[in-house]
């Protein structure tokens, strides 16, 4: 009879296996942090793009009244005429279209050098701050506890 036997398996006490498990948890933690960083970077780039578009419109601003042709999740299509008589319908849709309905007439501002770039009058990039920051807050509210949990297993 052996009096000094340690309960448990010898495999679970193997230092090489414990080191591999530690590396796995560390890798999982790093992947989560990189994922959070990439999503945050995308949010910041999106805000910067909104600011850039608004600056282009402000630089060469034209104003018109547009008819809302269609509203979908991806884009709001409008049709408007520029002072030279050309009719435009931006293929990417209208910037900041919240609350518009098909058939509605709306005042817009557009870049005279590129009428494809148009926004609802008096709406700016600052409208994008709340939804983007709320989304990023939700992402980090999920990722932070997961990172903490994976680091706890190190």
């Amino acid at each position: 009879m052996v009096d000094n036997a340690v309960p448990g398996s010898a495999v679970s006490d193997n230092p090489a296996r414990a080191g591999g498990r530690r590396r796995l948890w560390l890798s999982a933690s790093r992947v989560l942090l990189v994922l959070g960083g990439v999503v945050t970077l995308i949010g910041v780039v999106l805000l910067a793009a909104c600011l850039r578009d608004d600056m282009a419109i402000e630089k060469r601003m034209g104003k018109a009244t547009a008819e809302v042709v269609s509203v979908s999740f991806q884009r709001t299509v409008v049709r408007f005429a520029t002072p030279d008589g050309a009719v435009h319908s931006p293929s990417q849709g209208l910037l900041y279209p919240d609350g518009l309905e098909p058939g509605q007439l709306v005042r817009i501002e557009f870049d005279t050098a590129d009428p494809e770039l148009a926004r609802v009058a008096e709406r700016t990039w600052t409208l994008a701050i709340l939804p983007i920051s709320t989304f990023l807050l939700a992402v980090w509210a999920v990722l932070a506890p997961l990172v903490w949990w994976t680091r706890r297993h190190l």
Side-chain angles (χ1 to χ4, degrees):
M1 181 184 261
V2 179
D3 291 333
N4 62 354
V6 177
S9 73
V11 174
S12 66
D13 295 334
N14 183 345
R17 183 169 256 203
R21 206 175 299 127
R22 185 180 192 288
R23 281 192 302 275
L24 179 68
W25 285 113
L26 185 59
S27 294
S29 176
R30 287 180 179 164
V31 165
L32 290 171
L33 287 172
V34 167
L35 177 66
V38 168
V39 170
T40 301
L41 179 64
I42 290 170
V44 170
V45 168
L46 184 58
L47 277 175
C50 290
L51 177 60
R52 184 204 63 208
D53 288 346
D54 279 0
M55 288 173 61
I57 291 171
E58 303 265 337
K59 187 175 179 182
R60 300 174 295 266
M61 186 183 298
K63 296 183 179 190
T65 300
E67 177 188 1
V68 179
V69 177
S70 69
V71 177
S72 69
F73 179 74
Q74 293 103 347
R75 64 187 176 146
T76 298
V77 178
V78 297
R79 184 175 36 237
F80 65 96
T82 53
D84 62 1
V87 176
H88 297 277
S89 183
S91 60
Q92 297 300 314
L94 191 63
L95 298 173
Y96 322 119
D98 191 43
L100 300 181
E101 302 281 328
Q104 182 179 3
L105 294 178
V106 62
R107 291 182 316 124
I108 65 162
E109 300 166 343
F110 62 94
D111 181 354
T112 55
D114 180 16
E116 285 284 311
L117 188 56
R119 69 181 181 199
V120 175
E122 300 177 9
R123 295 186 185 177
T124 64
W125 71 277
T126 57
L127 290 174
I129 293 172
L130 183 61
I132 291 172
S133 60
T134 303
F135 174 73
L136 291 177
L137 185 64
V139 165
W140 283 105
V142 171
L143 287 180
L146 285 173
V147 168
W148 173 81
W149 184 73
T150 58
R151 294 267 172 148
R152 207 177 75 151
H153 283 84
L154 291 177

